[in-house]
Amino acid sequence: PMSQWVFEHEFGAHLRDTILHSPLVRDGLLDGAAVRSDVDAHFSRQRDHGSLLWTFFNLTLWHRRWIEKQSI
């Protein structure tokens, strides 16, 4: 359901922004070009990367909470 949900709800924009502006991407811990390609392919409905994006999203939140010590 994640794949469909990101298209139908404003959560999709939040997920996209969170992933693309993540320090994991910014600092090169994740390949920014590859992540952007996966995000773009998913949101243009070329490929279903719902599970992958959900993983990136949760990894970003985990990183904020446990590595950066920010509240989420």
Side-chain angles (χ1 to χ4, degrees):
M2 179 63 195
S3 296
Q4 189 63 30
W5 191 42
V6 299
F7 293 125
E8 296 178 356
H9 300 281
E10 65 185 46
F11 176 71
H14 174 64
L15 180 136
R16 182 185 190 114
D17 289 343
T18 299
I19 293 170
L20 294 178
H21 297 105
S22 166
L24 298 169
V25 171
R26 182 190 67 227
D27 297 343
L29 296 169
L30 294 175
D31 181 342
V35 170
R36 178 170 295 282
S37 176
D38 291 339
V39 168
D40 290 345
H42 184 81
F43 280 89
S44 67
R45 299 181 186 229
Q46 294 173 345
R47 305 249 354 224
D48 181 357
H49 290 303
S51 294
L52 180 63
L53 299 186
W54 185 245
T55 300
F56 286 157
F57 180 73
N58 281 288
L59 179 61
T60 298
L61 297 182
W62 176 89
H63 188 269
R64 281 184 189 169
R65 171 67 177 98
W66 297 105
I67 303 302
E68 296 180 338
K69 305 294 186 193
Q70 294 181 19
S71 60
I72 53 174

